[in-house]
Amino acid sequence: MSTLPEKTIERLSMYRRVLQTYQDNQSEFIYSHELASLLHLTPVQVRRDIMLIGYSGTQRKGYSVKELINKIGDILDGNERINAVIIGMGHLGKAITNYFNTKRSKIDIVAAFENDSTKVDRIISGIKSYHTDSLEMILEESNVTIAILSLSPREAQDVTDRLVFAGIKGILNFTSVPLTVPEDVSLENYDMVTSMEKLAYFVKEKIRDENSL
Amino acid sequence: MSTLPEKTIERLSMYRRVLQTYQDNQSEFIYSHELASLLHLTPVQVRRDIMLIGYSGTQRKGYSVKELINKIGDILDGNERINAVIIGMGHLGKAITNYFNTKRSKIDIVAAFENDSTKVDRIISGIKSYHTDSLEMILEESNVTIAILSLSPREAQDVTDRLVFAGIKGILNFTSVPLTVPEDVSLENYDMVTSMEKLAYFVKEKIRDENSL
DNA sequence: TAAACAATGTTATTATTTTAACAATTATAC
DNA sequence: GTATAATTGTTAAAATAATAACATTGTTTA
Ligand SMILES: NC(=O)c1ccc[n+]([C@@H]2O[C@H](COP(=O)([O-])OP(=O)(O)OC[C@H]3O[C@@H](n4cnc5c(N)ncnc54)[C@H](O)[C@@H]3O)[C@@H](O)[C@H]2O)c1
Ligand SMILES: NC(=O)c1ccc[n+]([C@@H]2O[C@H](COP(=O)([O-])OP(=O)(O)OC[C@H]3O[C@@H](n4cnc5c(N)ncnc54)[C@H](O)[C@@H]3O)[C@@H](O)[C@H]2O)c1
């Protein structure tokens, strides 16, 4: 199967989550319009996404919840578990680590890195925290493909370069720094300020539109 | 000016941020290709966005950094400051509050709400935390338009309904719950698990592509 | 067993977003 | 001054994503 559209991948992740709670509570099958309604999407979009991943339901009956969950798992998770590290165990880093390692998931955060000596060589939020100096050493002896960046912006590009050099293939960047990475490294940015400013803009626009009617 | 495309709004927020640091360090003017390069975009996209907001640079000279910052400010910020509240002062809520109120911005987090009695009626991360029971009361006497949700998923929809009823116009949702809100309320969701799973998928795909060459 | 119905699966259309093409303009060099 | 080069502003085209249309098919009902 060729690479799926980005937006479809995002929705697959969301389908799976709601299917998992649906599975526990409800029926064995689910209709596209039910799944759509749980996520405020259209039934067509759900059907199209499911078509794209090559799964088929039964007409008049819907999709097998269990099979669909498994099929999504095949696509999102693959076979092996994925190891991640987190750089920067400040407020955000601790929140993320704490959150992630209380969820069941195929992705594990296996180590943290810190600069601040008071946070090094300790267990924080359930995982071992190392000094950033030993980044290369630790990464060499473990199979880590993803890094989460929640460190001070000032250090973000330097550490990124080292991560890339050490063979990291994906970066989830919470610093607002626009990172430079080579082509073969995937980069996901989340910028909370942008998110807030965007929301504020559309709130303003809606109020303006209402007043102008 | 009519409502701008969503993606343009996101980039405007990013333009402004890099322009602000550029302003402090460098020249009075900036070329589209320079601004593009700082954010890893194309010069065309930068020029098109700037066209859409109705600002003009000088050919052969570029854009006045100061004027462009101001123009973006007119669009994103409007005239008045915006007040926000945050619901749920757990790990994530504290991180966000702490982060936001150390930045200069037109958006202020003015109050927090909590259920846990040990976190109520105290100053946490610099802002006053109230019991969620008093949500309606506090919102009535202040001009708050935006709410940030970082509370337990279980309570998310209930609190959302109350926020909407109390007149909130925008919600930034960090719980992974697919919230139901009326048409006139803007909703921004950020789902960290989806973000991670998406990243993991594209990492896998890239590795697969490389192996199949 | 046949007709009606209600759901899926897929192709076609539309909307949004990005990228390309290029004309217009202005600073610089000669 | 005039030619040249470099940059903006805008329209056109391409790519991506969402929506609509509808044919297909399994299920129910009479
Ligand atoms: N907290 C939020 O809600 C939030 C929101 C958006 C963006 N961010 C961004 O996320 C990052 C972290 O935010 P925070 O609020 O947790 O800040 P913080 O100051 O609490 O944490 C930063 C941590 O990074 C560590 N650090 C610095 N250099 C390091 C290095 N070279 N290697 C390893 N660790 C290093 C520091 O010691 C500190 O513990 C910042 O870039 C911030 O801009 C945070
Ligand atoms: N921490 C993360 O990195 C992260 C990442 C993604 C999503 N989330 C989501 O963000 C939310 C918060 O995560 P967290 O890690 O901070 O969890 P947390 O348990 O540390 O914090 C949740 C807080 O919400 C409070 N709360 C519960 N019900 C409330 C109510 N009705 N009114 C006000 N406050 C209430 C609790 O008392 C608690 O302090 C959760 O929905 C979680 O799924 C967190």
Side-chain angles (χ1 to χ4, degrees):
Chain A
M1 193 192 313
S2 76
T3 300
L4 295 160
E6 194 166 327
K7 296 289 176 183
T8 294
I9 295 297
E10 290 177 11
R11 283 188 298 266
L12 288 176
S13 166
M14 302 194 292
Y15 294 154
R16 175 161 67 174
R17 181 185 306 114
V18 301
L19 286 170
Q20 268 151 356
T21 69
Y22 193 87
Q23 184 178 39
D24 301 338
N25 311 335
Q26 333 263 327
S27 136
E28 196 182 337
F29 288 86
I30 191 166
Y31 295 126
S32 62
H33 67 261
E34 293 173 315
L35 184 48
S37 150
L38 289 169
L39 288 160
H40 306 115
L41 304 170
T42 64
V44 197
Q45 191 156 63
V46 169
R47 292 207 299 278
R48 211 177 188 294
D49 286 335
I50 292 175
M51 183 195 84
L52 289 175
I53 66 175
Y55 178 67
S56 282
T58 313
Q59 262 156 348
R60 200 66 201 262
K61 223 171 150 191
Y63 303 95
S64 155
V65 175
K66 198 164 157 225
E67 282 179 20
L68 188 47
I69 289 176
N70 289 338
K71 185 73 188 185
I72 294 174
D74 291 347
I75 288 165
L76 294 185
D77 304 330
N79 304 316
E80 302 145 48
R81 300 195 66 77
I82 289 181
N83 292 326
V85 293
I86 185 162
I87 324 288
M89 285 296 259
H91 295 89
L92 185 61
K94 275 187 267 183
I96 292 172
T97 308
N98 180 71
Y99 173 73
F100 244 86
N101 286 346
T102 57
K103 311 222 109 197
R104 59 183 159 134
S105 154
K106 284 264 185 160
I107 303 169
D108 299 308
I109 301 180
V110 296
F113 292 92
E114 254 293 345
N115 237 0
D116 178 343
S117 56
T118 66
K119 294 177 184 161
V120 164
D121 289 329
R122 294 174 38 202
I123 306 281
I124 309 181
S125 302
I127 61 161
K128 181 74 186 286
S129 173
Y130 301 91
H131 196 282
T132 310
D133 288 349
S134 48
L135 187 70
E136 287 79 3
M137 210 182 68
I138 306 281
L139 289 186
E140 199 174 351
E141 64 197 24
S142 61
N143 180 27
V144 175
T145 47
I146 287 180
I148 301 168
L149 300 195
S150 52
L151 77 166
S152 318
R154 199 170 12 86
E155 313 261 330
Q157 185 64 59
D158 275 2
V159 172
T160 298
D161 294 343
R162 291 171 57 192
L163 286 165
V164 167
F165 192 76
I168 285 287
K169 291 298 172 206
I171 294 177
L172 181 51
N173 176 30
F174 288 102
T175 78
S176 50
V177 178
L179 297 176
T180 304
V181 295
E183 273 261 311
D184 66 328
V185 173
S186 299
L187 182 59
E188 271 283 307
N189 296 297
Y190 181 68
D191 190 322
M192 198 175 295
V193 171
T194 292
S195 231
M196 275 291 267
E197 291 183 340
K198 183 178 159 191
L199 184 60
Y201 172 80
F202 284 107
V203 164
K204 270 194 299 129
E205 283 298 300
K206 269 197 185 143
I207 291 170
R208 197 177 65 111
D209 286 358
E210 276 164 20
N211 292 343
S212 75
L213 286 184
Chain B
M1 193 190 315
S2 77
T3 300
L4 294 161
E6 193 166 327
K7 297 289 177 182
T8 295
I9 295 298
E10 290 177 11
R11 284 189 297 266
L12 288 177
S13 166
M14 301 193 293
Y15 294 155
R16 175 161 66 174
R17 182 186 305 114
V18 301
L19 286 171
Q20 268 151 357
T21 67
Y22 192 88
Q23 184 178 39
D24 301 339
N25 311 334
Q26 333 264 328
S27 134
E28 194 181 338
F29 288 85
I30 191 167
Y31 294 126
S32 61
H33 67 260
E34 293 173 315
L35 183 47
S37 150
L38 289 169
L39 288 160
H40 307 115
L41 304 170
T42 65
V44 198
Q45 192 156 62
V46 169
R47 292 207 300 277
R48 211 177 189 293
D49 286 335
I50 292 175
M51 184 195 82
L52 289 175
I53 66 175
Y55 178 68
S56 283
T58 313
Q59 263 156 348
R60 201 65 204 265
K61 220 171 154 192
Y63 303 94
S64 155
V65 175
K66 199 165 156 224
E67 282 178 21
L68 188 48
I69 289 176
N70 289 338
K71 186 73 189 185
I72 294 174
D74 291 347
I75 288 164
L76 294 186
D77 303 330
N79 304 316
E80 302 146 48
R81 300 194 68 76
I82 290 181
N83 292 326
V85 294
I86 184 162
I87 323 288
M89 285 296 259
H91 295 91
L92 186 61
K94 274 187 267 183
I96 292 171
T97 308
N98 179 72
Y99 173 72
F100 244 86
N101 286 345
T102 57
K103 313 221 108 196
R104 57 181 159 134
S105 154
K106 283 264 185 161
I107 303 169
D108 299 308
I109 302 181
V110 297
F113 292 93
E114 254 292 344
N115 238 0
D116 178 342
S117 56
T118 66
K119 294 176 184 162
V120 165
D121 289 329
R122 294 174 39 203
I123 306 282
I124 307 181
S125 303
I127 61 161
K128 181 75 187 287
S129 173
Y130 302 91
H131 196 283
T132 311
D133 287 350
S134 49
L135 187 70
E136 288 79 2
M137 209 181 69
I138 306 281
L139 288 186
E140 199 174 352
E141 65 198 24
S142 60
N143 181 28
V144 175
T145 46
I146 287 181
I148 301 168
L149 300 195
S150 52
L151 76 166
S152 318
R154 198 169 13 86
E155 313 261 330
Q157 185 64 59
D158 275 2
V159 171
T160 297
D161 295 343
R162 291 171 57 192
L163 286 165
V164 168
F165 191 76
I168 285 286
K169 290 299 172 205
I171 294 176
L172 181 51
N173 176 29
F174 288 101
T175 79
S176 50
V177 178
L179 297 177
T180 304
V181 294
E183 274 261 310
D184 65 328
V185 173
S186 300
L187 181 59
E188 271 283 309
N189 296 297
Y190 181 68
D191 190 322
M192 198 177 294
V193 172
T194 293
S195 231
M196 274 291 265
E197 291 183 340
K198 183 178 159 192
L199 183 61
Y201 172 80
F202 284 108
V203 165
K204 271 194 298 130
E205 282 300 300
K206 268 196 186 144
I207 291 170
R208 197 177 65 111
D209 286 357
E210 276 163 21
N211 292 342
S212 75
L213 287 184

